[in-house]
Structure formats: structure tokens, C-alpha cells
Amino acid sequence: NAGVTQTPKFRVLKTGQSMTLLCAQDMNHEYMYWYRQDPGMGLRLIHYSVGEGTTAKGEVPDGYNVSRLKKQNFLLGLESAAPSQTSVYFCASSLFSAALAGDMQFFGPGTRLTVL
Amino acid sequence: KQEVTQIPAALSVPEGENLVLNCSFTDSAIYNLQWFRQDPGKGLTSLLLIQSSQREQTSGRLNASLDKSSGRSTLYIAASQPGDSATYLCAGPHFTQLQGGSEKLVFGKGTKLTVNP
């Protein structure tokens, strides 16, 4: 199993450009998450999904959109990138709820995004 | 609101030493706590999960404990090795989980551990 994969690994955008980050998991997990990690701020939840076709807002959803059209994929979109969105983005998945059921989360390797 | 704090931010020890990493949380109603490891430039790897009904969990040289009454969790690493060098993070659910709120794990900012050969 590949686990959780993310593409791309690195990306540089100009302010106002758009892009989509792709997360894929092959573990048949129901829950998927997008986090961002910033120095001094730790990991913060952007959006999450509790199953195919569902999405919900996390702690810092503004400026991002997500879609879960297929169970194995969770897409994170930036419609108009801003320098404040420069960060490392991590995708994660779990079979059941990581928060409620305490299920283990499996993380992808991350995408390092720079917005100029 | 759940807040998770990890002190110290960085720790350097000689190889072979036993060590303890600390994690404190503000919501004593926490019903699980997880410990993760993050290597530089990599994602997080889940190490141990402690449910509120448990006091501790063990995996190899790692032992994690949870004391809800004091709002603390500790990660004990026995006989540390250079390969243990990484950042260790703990995470617990947000308070609103109890009220059917949003799915959210609150992460500490981590303790960066360096084990010197």
C-alpha cells in the first residue's frame, strides 16, 4: 500500500493564481483531512471530510475549497492565492474519526507551497 | 476550548539516556490523546493513542501515559538512540466534540528532540 500520497511536493505561485492540491489514500479510509503547518502556529485543520461526497470546515477554512468526489481522493483548492497561504500542507486520513473515536491518522508527506 | 502545550520546545540528550516529553491540555474532559513523530521535511507518523479509559500505552521503547485529572500526558523514551531524533507532537480532540461540533484535533507545537551519539 502506498498509504497517503500528495501531489505536488513543491509549488510556487504568484499572488492571485489558483491551484489544486491532490491527496490520495488507498486504505479505504472514510475520514480525510487537510492541515497547514506554519512555524510557531503548529498544525491547523483547514477542511475535512467524513465520507465520499461530504466536506466540512475546520479551523482555518477561509481562502480554501475542497471536494471529495471519490472516497480515495480529497482535493484542496486555492482560488486566488495570497502570500498568507505560504505554508506546508498535509493531508491525512483515518478509518474512523480521529477526534471522536481516537482513530489513528495517517499523514501524507506534505506539499510545500510558496506564494509570492 | 482545548489548548495543548508542549514544553520544552527543544531537548538535546546523549545516546542511551531515558527521557520524558511533556504534553499538557486544558480540557480535562479529553477522551483520547495521540502522540506523533515528525521527521524534518516529512509528514507525521502516529506513535501511540491513549483512550481516556486507559492510563498508558506502550510500543517498544515508547510509553505514553495520560492523567486527565492533572491535564497531562507524558511520552517516555527508553534508551534513546540517534534515530529517535525528530519532533514529537501530541494532539487531543477539541472541546466541541462533546457537543457534536466539528471534527478537530488540537496539536501542540512539538518538542524537537536531538539524541547525540
Side-chain angles (χ1 to χ4, degrees), chain A residues 13 17-22 34 46-47 61-67 74-81 85 89 113:
Chain A
L13 290 178
Q17 287 185 318
S18 64
M19 77 162 295
T20 300
L21 282 66
L22 172 64
W34 275 108
I46 305 172
H47 286 281
D62 293 342
Y64 306 95
N65 57 76
V66 288
S67 64
F74 195 28
L75 278 64
L76 178 70
L78 286 73
E79 291 186 346
S80 180
Q85 294 178 303
Y89 292 86
L113 175 66

PDB file of all heavy atoms in Angstrom, chain A residues 13 17-22 34 46-47 61-67 74-81 85 89 113:
ATOM      1  N   LEU A  13       3.652  29.833  -6.443  1.00  0.00           N
ATOM      2  CA  LEU A  13       2.579  30.556  -7.116  1.00  0.00           C
ATOM      3  C   LEU A  13       2.793  32.054  -6.990  1.00  0.00           C
ATOM      4  O   LEU A  13       3.453  32.518  -6.049  1.00  0.00           O
ATOM      5  CB  LEU A  13       1.225  30.228  -6.486  1.00  0.00           C
ATOM      6  CG  LEU A  13       0.616  28.851  -6.672  1.00  0.00           C
ATOM      7  CD1 LEU A  13      -0.708  28.776  -5.917  1.00  0.00           C
ATOM      8  CD2 LEU A  13       0.407  28.532  -8.133  1.00  0.00           C
ATOM      9  N   GLN A  17      -2.985  33.620  -8.374  1.00  0.00           N
ATOM     10  CA  GLN A  17      -3.088  32.381  -9.152  1.00  0.00           C
ATOM     11  C   GLN A  17      -3.887  31.341  -8.380  1.00  0.00           C
ATOM     12  O   GLN A  17      -4.045  31.423  -7.157  1.00  0.00           O
ATOM     13  CB  GLN A  17      -1.695  31.841  -9.486  1.00  0.00           C
ATOM     14  CG  GLN A  17      -0.961  32.631 -10.541  1.00  0.00           C
ATOM     15  CD  GLN A  17       0.349  31.996 -10.935  1.00  0.00           C
ATOM     16  OE1 GLN A  17       1.116  31.504 -10.084  1.00  0.00           O
ATOM     17  NE2 GLN A  17       0.653  32.016 -12.230  1.00  0.00           N
ATOM     18  N   SER A  18      -4.349  30.349  -9.092  1.00  0.00           N
ATOM     19  CA  SER A  18      -5.103  29.269  -8.458  1.00  0.00           C
ATOM     20  C   SER A  18      -4.377  27.946  -8.640  1.00  0.00           C
ATOM     21  O   SER A  18      -3.537  27.807  -9.545  1.00  0.00           O
ATOM     22  CB  SER A  18      -6.507  29.176  -9.059  1.00  0.00           C
ATOM     23  OG  SER A  18      -6.420  28.837 -10.431  1.00  0.00           O
ATOM     24  N   MET A  19      -4.687  27.020  -7.766  1.00  0.00           N
ATOM     25  CA  MET A  19      -4.114  25.686  -7.908  1.00  0.00           C
ATOM     26  C   MET A  19      -4.924  24.694  -7.089  1.00  0.00           C
ATOM     27  O   MET A  19      -5.720  25.086  -6.223  1.00  0.00           O
ATOM     28  CB  MET A  19      -2.652  25.648  -7.472  1.00  0.00           C
ATOM     29  CG  MET A  19      -2.406  25.647  -5.997  1.00  0.00           C
ATOM     30  SD  MET A  19      -0.745  25.100  -5.555  1.00  0.00           S
ATOM     31  CE  MET A  19      -0.761  23.397  -6.106  1.00  0.00           C
ATOM     32  N   THR A  20      -4.703  23.421  -7.381  1.00  0.00           N
ATOM     33  CA  THR A  20      -5.357  22.343  -6.652  1.00  0.00           C
ATOM     34  C   THR A  20      -4.315  21.369  -6.153  1.00  0.00           C
ATOM     35  O   THR A  20      -3.442  20.944  -6.906  1.00  0.00           O
ATOM     36  CB  THR A  20      -6.361  21.600  -7.543  1.00  0.00           C
ATOM     37  OG1 THR A  20      -7.363  22.520  -7.986  1.00  0.00           O
ATOM     38  CG2 THR A  20      -7.026  20.468  -6.768  1.00  0.00           C
ATOM     39  N   LEU A  21      -4.411  21.037  -4.869  1.00  0.00           N
ATOM     40  CA  LEU A  21      -3.567  20.015  -4.280  1.00  0.00           C
ATOM     41  C   LEU A  21      -4.368  18.723  -4.213  1.00  0.00           C
ATOM     42  O   LEU A  21      -5.527  18.716  -3.801  1.00  0.00           O
ATOM     43  CB  LEU A  21      -3.123  20.399  -2.870  1.00  0.00           C
ATOM     44  CG  LEU A  21      -1.981  21.420  -2.710  1.00  0.00           C
ATOM     45  CD1 LEU A  21      -2.404  22.781  -3.222  1.00  0.00           C
ATOM     46  CD2 LEU A  21      -1.561  21.498  -1.260  1.00  0.00           C
ATOM     47  N   LEU A  22      -3.722  17.634  -4.612  1.00  0.00           N
ATOM     48  CA  LEU A  22      -4.394  16.346  -4.631  1.00  0.00           C
ATOM     49  C   LEU A  22      -3.873  15.450  -3.518  1.00  0.00           C
ATOM     50  O   LEU A  22      -2.665  15.323  -3.313  1.00  0.00           O
ATOM     51  CB  LEU A  22      -4.188  15.649  -5.974  1.00  0.00           C
ATOM     52  CG  LEU A  22      -4.671  14.201  -6.062  1.00  0.00           C
ATOM     53  CD1 LEU A  22      -6.189  14.129  -5.875  1.00  0.00           C
ATOM     54  CD2 LEU A  22      -4.249  13.571  -7.385  1.00  0.00           C
ATOM     55  N   TRP A  34      -7.343  18.025   5.641  1.00  0.00           N
ATOM     56  CA  TRP A  34      -6.276  18.902   5.156  1.00  0.00           C
ATOM     57  C   TRP A  34      -5.844  19.819   6.296  1.00  0.00           C
ATOM     58  O   TRP A  34      -6.655  20.488   6.920  1.00  0.00           O
ATOM     59  CB  TRP A  34      -6.749  19.771   3.982  1.00  0.00           C
ATOM     60  CG  TRP A  34      -6.655  19.096   2.658  1.00  0.00           C
ATOM     61  CD1 TRP A  34      -7.686  18.631   1.892  1.00  0.00           C
ATOM     62  CD2 TRP A  34      -5.461  18.828   1.914  1.00  0.00           C
ATOM     63  NE1 TRP A  34      -7.210  18.080   0.734  1.00  0.00           N
ATOM     64  CE2 TRP A  34      -5.848  18.196   0.723  1.00  0.00           C
ATOM     65  CE3 TRP A  34      -4.107  19.057   2.145  1.00  0.00           C
ATOM     66  CZ2 TRP A  34      -4.927  17.780  -0.251  1.00  0.00           C
ATOM     67  CZ3 TRP A  34      -3.194  18.654   1.191  1.00  0.00           C
ATOM     68  CH2 TRP A  34      -3.601  18.030   0.011  1.00  0.00           C
ATOM     69  N   ILE A  46      -7.764  22.699   8.112  1.00  0.00           N
ATOM     70  CA  ILE A  46      -8.381  23.589   7.130  1.00  0.00           C
ATOM     71  C   ILE A  46      -9.807  23.118   6.813  1.00  0.00           C
ATOM     72  O   ILE A  46     -10.778  23.838   7.009  1.00  0.00           O
ATOM     73  CB  ILE A  46      -7.552  23.639   5.835  1.00  0.00           C
ATOM     74  CG1 ILE A  46      -6.097  24.024   6.124  1.00  0.00           C
ATOM     75  CG2 ILE A  46      -8.169  24.626   4.843  1.00  0.00           C
ATOM     76  CD1 ILE A  46      -5.186  23.891   4.919  1.00  0.00           C
ATOM     77  N   HIS A  47      -9.920  21.923   6.270  1.00  0.00           N
ATOM     78  CA  HIS A  47     -11.189  21.279   5.959  1.00  0.00           C
ATOM     79  C   HIS A  47     -11.042  19.794   6.208  1.00  0.00           C
ATOM     80  O   HIS A  47      -9.931  19.271   6.264  1.00  0.00           O
ATOM     81  CB  HIS A  47     -11.570  21.491   4.481  1.00  0.00           C
ATOM     82  CG  HIS A  47     -12.044  22.854   4.122  1.00  0.00           C
ATOM     83  ND1 HIS A  47     -13.322  23.301   4.376  1.00  0.00           N
ATOM     84  CD2 HIS A  47     -11.400  23.866   3.498  1.00  0.00           C
ATOM     85  CE1 HIS A  47     -13.454  24.545   3.923  1.00  0.00           C
ATOM     86  NE2 HIS A  47     -12.305  24.906   3.390  1.00  0.00           N
ATOM     87  N   PRO A  61     -10.642  27.736   7.380  1.00  0.00           N
ATOM     88  CA  PRO A  61     -11.102  27.376   6.033  1.00  0.00           C
ATOM     89  C   PRO A  61     -11.076  28.500   5.008  1.00  0.00           C
ATOM     90  O   PRO A  61     -11.171  28.229   3.799  1.00  0.00           O
ATOM     91  CB  PRO A  61     -12.556  26.974   6.299  1.00  0.00           C
ATOM     92  CG  PRO A  61     -12.955  27.854   7.461  1.00  0.00           C
ATOM     93  CD  PRO A  61     -11.730  27.987   8.305  1.00  0.00           C
ATOM     94  N   ASP A  62     -10.952  29.743   5.456  1.00  0.00           N
ATOM     95  CA  ASP A  62     -11.092  30.864   4.520  1.00  0.00           C
ATOM     96  C   ASP A  62      -9.995  30.853   3.459  1.00  0.00           C
ATOM     97  O   ASP A  62      -8.814  30.727   3.753  1.00  0.00           O
ATOM     98  CB  ASP A  62     -11.050  32.196   5.284  1.00  0.00           C
ATOM     99  CG  ASP A  62     -12.262  32.358   6.182  1.00  0.00           C
ATOM    100  OD1 ASP A  62     -13.267  31.643   5.958  1.00  0.00           O
ATOM    101  OD2 ASP A  62     -12.207  33.180   7.106  1.00  0.00           O
ATOM    102  N   GLY A  63     -10.424  31.041   2.194  1.00  0.00           N
ATOM    103  CA  GLY A  63      -9.486  31.068   1.075  1.00  0.00           C
ATOM    104  C   GLY A  63      -9.238  29.708   0.452  1.00  0.00           C
ATOM    105  O   GLY A  63      -8.496  29.612  -0.526  1.00  0.00           O
ATOM    106  N   TYR A  64      -9.876  28.672   0.998  1.00  0.00           N
ATOM    107  CA  TYR A  64      -9.699  27.311   0.501  1.00  0.00           C
ATOM    108  C   TYR A  64     -11.048  26.671   0.188  1.00  0.00           C
ATOM    109  O   TYR A  64     -12.042  26.973   0.851  1.00  0.00           O
ATOM    110  CB  TYR A  64      -8.997  26.433   1.528  1.00  0.00           C
ATOM    111  CG  TYR A  64      -7.684  26.950   2.035  1.00  0.00           C
ATOM    112  CD1 TYR A  64      -7.623  27.692   3.212  1.00  0.00           C
ATOM    113  CD2 TYR A  64      -6.500  26.680   1.358  1.00  0.00           C
ATOM    114  CE1 TYR A  64      -6.419  28.165   3.697  1.00  0.00           C
ATOM    115  CE2 TYR A  64      -5.282  27.146   1.836  1.00  0.00           C
ATOM    116  CZ  TYR A  64      -5.257  27.885   3.005  1.00  0.00           C
ATOM    117  OH  TYR A  64      -4.050  28.350   3.483  1.00  0.00           O
ATOM    118  N   ASN A  65     -11.059  25.793  -0.805  1.00  0.00           N
ATOM    119  CA  ASN A  65     -12.224  24.962  -1.047  1.00  0.00           C
ATOM    120  C   ASN A  65     -11.762  23.523  -1.219  1.00  0.00           C
ATOM    121  O   ASN A  65     -10.595  23.266  -1.544  1.00  0.00           O
ATOM    122  CB  ASN A  65     -13.004  25.435  -2.285  1.00  0.00           C
ATOM    123  CG  ASN A  65     -12.147  25.473  -3.529  1.00  0.00           C
ATOM    124  OD1 ASN A  65     -11.848  24.436  -4.123  1.00  0.00           O
ATOM    125  ND2 ASN A  65     -11.729  26.657  -3.947  1.00  0.00           N
ATOM    126  N   VAL A  66     -12.660  22.592  -0.962  1.00  0.00           N
ATOM    127  CA  VAL A  66     -12.308  21.177  -1.039  1.00  0.00           C
ATOM    128  C   VAL A  66     -13.411  20.403  -1.749  1.00  0.00           C
ATOM    129  O   VAL A  66     -14.545  20.864  -1.838  1.00  0.00           O
ATOM    130  CB  VAL A  66     -12.080  20.555   0.362  1.00  0.00           C
ATOM    131  CG1 VAL A  66     -10.783  21.045   0.987  1.00  0.00           C
ATOM    132  CG2 VAL A  66     -13.268  20.836   1.273  1.00  0.00           C
ATOM    133  N   SER A  67     -13.028  19.238  -2.234  1.00  0.00           N
ATOM    134  CA  SER A  67     -14.019  18.334  -2.818  1.00  0.00           C
ATOM    135  C   SER A  67     -13.595  16.895  -2.578  1.00  0.00           C
ATOM    136  O   SER A  67     -12.400  16.576  -2.565  1.00  0.00           O
ATOM    137  CB  SER A  67     -14.189  18.594  -4.311  1.00  0.00           C
ATOM    138  OG  SER A  67     -12.992  18.311  -5.011  1.00  0.00           O
ATOM    139  N   PHE A  74      -9.068  13.492  -2.017  1.00  0.00           N
ATOM    140  CA  PHE A  74      -9.537  14.693  -1.333  1.00  0.00           C
ATOM    141  C   PHE A  74      -8.734  15.849  -1.903  1.00  0.00           C
ATOM    142  O   PHE A  74      -7.507  15.879  -1.775  1.00  0.00           O
ATOM    143  CB  PHE A  74      -9.309  14.556   0.174  1.00  0.00           C
ATOM    144  CG  PHE A  74     -10.040  15.547   1.028  1.00  0.00           C
ATOM    145  CD1 PHE A  74     -11.247  16.111   0.618  1.00  0.00           C
ATOM    146  CD2 PHE A  74      -9.555  15.902   2.278  1.00  0.00           C
ATOM    147  CE1 PHE A  74     -11.946  16.996   1.416  1.00  0.00           C
ATOM    148  CE2 PHE A  74     -10.244  16.801   3.102  1.00  0.00           C
ATOM    149  CZ  PHE A  74     -11.436  17.347   2.659  1.00  0.00           C
ATOM    150  N   LEU A  75      -9.417  16.775  -2.568  1.00  0.00           N
ATOM    151  CA  LEU A  75      -8.746  17.865  -3.259  1.00  0.00           C
ATOM    152  C   LEU A  75      -8.867  19.155  -2.461  1.00  0.00           C
ATOM    153  O   LEU A  75      -9.936  19.478  -1.932  1.00  0.00           O
ATOM    154  CB  LEU A  75      -9.361  18.079  -4.642  1.00  0.00           C
ATOM    155  CG  LEU A  75      -8.888  17.160  -5.779  1.00  0.00           C
ATOM    156  CD1 LEU A  75      -9.251  15.709  -5.508  1.00  0.00           C
ATOM    157  CD2 LEU A  75      -9.460  17.612  -7.108  1.00  0.00           C
ATOM    158  N   LEU A  76      -7.775  19.895  -2.413  1.00  0.00           N
ATOM    159  CA  LEU A  76      -7.755  21.205  -1.768  1.00  0.00           C
ATOM    160  C   LEU A  76      -7.463  22.258  -2.823  1.00  0.00           C
ATOM    161  O   LEU A  76      -6.436  22.186  -3.505  1.00  0.00           O
ATOM    162  CB  LEU A  76      -6.684  21.262  -0.681  1.00  0.00           C
ATOM    163  CG  LEU A  76      -6.532  22.603   0.048  1.00  0.00           C
ATOM    164  CD1 LEU A  76      -7.741  22.861   0.946  1.00  0.00           C
ATOM    165  CD2 LEU A  76      -5.252  22.617   0.887  1.00  0.00           C
ATOM    166  N   GLY A  77      -8.353  23.234  -2.953  1.00  0.00           N
ATOM    167  CA  GLY A  77      -8.184  24.259  -3.967  1.00  0.00           C
ATOM    168  C   GLY A  77      -7.944  25.633  -3.361  1.00  0.00           C
ATOM    169  O   GLY A  77      -8.515  25.978  -2.323  1.00  0.00           O
ATOM    170  N   LEU A  78      -7.074  26.371  -4.025  1.00  0.00           N
ATOM    171  CA  LEU A  78      -6.866  27.773  -3.696  1.00  0.00           C
ATOM    172  C   LEU A  78      -7.319  28.554  -4.916  1.00  0.00           C
ATOM    173  O   LEU A  78      -6.720  28.427  -5.996  1.00  0.00           O
ATOM    174  CB  LEU A  78      -5.390  28.076  -3.417  1.00  0.00           C
ATOM    175  CG  LEU A  78      -4.791  27.600  -2.097  1.00  0.00           C
ATOM    176  CD1 LEU A  78      -4.586  26.091  -2.094  1.00  0.00           C
ATOM    177  CD2 LEU A  78      -3.472  28.313  -1.839  1.00  0.00           C
ATOM    178  N   GLU A  79      -8.357  29.328  -4.807  1.00  0.00           N
ATOM    179  CA  GLU A  79      -8.907  30.036  -5.961  1.00  0.00           C
ATOM    180  C   GLU A  79      -8.083  31.263  -6.334  1.00  0.00           C
ATOM    181  O   GLU A  79      -7.882  31.551  -7.507  1.00  0.00           O
ATOM    182  CB  GLU A  79     -10.347  30.438  -5.681  1.00  0.00           C
ATOM    183  CG  GLU A  79     -11.296  29.249  -5.609  1.00  0.00           C
ATOM    184  CD  GLU A  79     -12.741  29.680  -5.475  1.00  0.00           C
ATOM    185  OE1 GLU A  79     -12.975  30.874  -5.166  1.00  0.00           O
ATOM    186  OE2 GLU A  79     -13.631  28.829  -5.667  1.00  0.00           O
ATOM    187  N   SER A  80      -7.600  31.977  -5.325  1.00  0.00           N
ATOM    188  CA  SER A  80      -6.814  33.189  -5.566  1.00  0.00           C
ATOM    189  C   SER A  80      -5.753  33.245  -4.465  1.00  0.00           C
ATOM    190  O   SER A  80      -6.006  33.768  -3.385  1.00  0.00           O
ATOM    191  CB  SER A  80      -7.705  34.426  -5.527  1.00  0.00           C
ATOM    192  OG  SER A  80      -6.929  35.598  -5.758  1.00  0.00           O
ATOM    193  N   ALA A  81      -4.593  32.699  -4.763  1.00  0.00           N
ATOM    194  CA  ALA A  81      -3.573  32.525  -3.738  1.00  0.00           C
ATOM    195  C   ALA A  81      -3.077  33.861  -3.187  1.00  0.00           C
ATOM    196  O   ALA A  81      -2.950  34.863  -3.913  1.00  0.00           O
ATOM    197  CB  ALA A  81      -2.394  31.738  -4.299  1.00  0.00           C
ATOM    198  N   GLN A  85      -0.940  32.341   2.471  1.00  0.00           N
ATOM    199  CA  GLN A  85      -1.168  30.915   2.286  1.00  0.00           C
ATOM    200  C   GLN A  85       0.127  30.141   2.027  1.00  0.00           C
ATOM    201  O   GLN A  85       0.088  28.930   1.781  1.00  0.00           O
ATOM    202  CB  GLN A  85      -2.166  30.680   1.145  1.00  0.00           C
ATOM    203  CG  GLN A  85      -3.551  31.207   1.475  1.00  0.00           C
ATOM    204  CD  GLN A  85      -4.539  31.041   0.345  1.00  0.00           C
ATOM    205  OE1 GLN A  85      -4.312  31.518  -0.775  1.00  0.00           O
ATOM    206  NE2 GLN A  85      -5.649  30.397   0.629  1.00  0.00           N
ATOM    207  N   TYR A  89       1.440  22.021   3.487  1.00  0.00           N
ATOM    208  CA  TYR A  89       0.105  21.447   3.569  1.00  0.00           C
ATOM    209  C   TYR A  89       0.205  19.935   3.705  1.00  0.00           C
ATOM    210  O   TYR A  89       0.887  19.272   2.930  1.00  0.00           O
ATOM    211  CB  TYR A  89      -0.706  21.817   2.333  1.00  0.00           C
ATOM    212  CG  TYR A  89      -1.027  23.290   2.288  1.00  0.00           C
ATOM    213  CD1 TYR A  89      -0.130  24.212   1.746  1.00  0.00           C
ATOM    214  CD2 TYR A  89      -2.228  23.771   2.808  1.00  0.00           C
ATOM    215  CE1 TYR A  89      -0.409  25.571   1.733  1.00  0.00           C
ATOM    216  CE2 TYR A  89      -2.531  25.121   2.791  1.00  0.00           C
ATOM    217  CZ  TYR A  89      -1.611  26.013   2.258  1.00  0.00           C
ATOM    218  OH  TYR A  89      -1.897  27.355   2.251  1.00  0.00           O
ATOM    219  N   LEU A 113       4.199  24.940  -0.273  1.00  0.00           N
ATOM    220  CA  LEU A 113       3.662  25.958  -1.180  1.00  0.00           C
ATOM    221  C   LEU A 113       4.196  27.327  -0.802  1.00  0.00           C
ATOM    222  O   LEU A 113       4.145  27.721   0.366  1.00  0.00           O
ATOM    223  CB  LEU A 113       2.133  25.978  -1.118  1.00  0.00           C
ATOM    224  CG  LEU A 113       1.442  27.088  -1.922  1.00  0.00           C
ATOM    225  CD1 LEU A 113       1.674  26.883  -3.414  1.00  0.00           C
ATOM    226  CD2 LEU A 113      -0.044  27.132  -1.614  1.00  0.00           C
TER     227      LEU A 113
END
